[in-house]
Amino acid sequence: MKKILSVCVCLVFVSVAVSAKPLDKFNDVMNSAGSNFQAKRYLEHLSKDMGKVMTSGNYGVSANLGLGSLDIGINFHTTSVSNEIMKAEGTDRLYMPMLKASLGLLCGFDVMAKYGYFYGSNLYGIGLRYDVYDSSILFIPSITVQGMYSILNVSSGSNKVNNNNIALGAIATFPIPFVTPYIGIGWDRTNTTAKSSIYDGMSKATDKMSYGFGIAVSVLILNGSLGITYNDGIPNYSFGFNLGF
């Protein structure tokens, strides 16, 4: 099973590595803005889409792991985008593979970490999850709350953009054997800062609400999952495999 997971990691990371870079027109579009107001609008629209990317996969089957328990996996996320900078490059959908891990701590807490590969750049995230209610009864969900902080500093040639995101959410997981559904809702804020173009140093923060749902299928320690997250009414998709120990 570990070999299967390793092969999946290689395939999805290579698939993004060979794709065109969606921010190659950042400097061109920003430099074409006729005013600070217009440049700020471009940055705002980019920030909203980068927020979708950075919170991809935040929802999932979620319950307290227990002290010392470890859960690791690979997810593949697709995100629809509509900002002017990526449209100029001909991009309306992004793809990102992500490694995720959770470790059980004391008193119902888990520490979470994630790493995503974004067209030559790296996403890093770390967070905490707390088990509010742990259910073992069918159709009565376990409830967890979580917070995650992520950074994604993009460098594509001379085009450079820094992004950071803080996301808060709550997830209900239904303890049905073998096939486990979940639903989640959350709020997040993304701050995007231009690090190139004539507007170097300009930044814009955007907020959004999101909700999602999905299902996981478990066979021994191997789990497969499918999830959908809605941002501004637009669905984004996640597929994943993980191992629990």
Side-chain angles (χ1 to χ4, degrees), residues 231-244:
N231 299 285
D232 298 325
I234 299 173
N236 301 294
Y237 303 94
S238 299
F239 309 89
F241 295 94
N242 68 290
L243 299 172

Side-chain angles (χ1 to χ4, degrees), residues 197-220:
S197 81
I198 62 175
Y199 295 100
D200 185 0
M202 177 179 284
S203 64
K204 179 64 179 180
T206 56
D207 300 340
K208 66 177 174 66
M209 296 292 298
S210 61
Y211 65 92
F213 59 89
I215 194 167
V217 178
S218 302
V219 179
L220 299 177

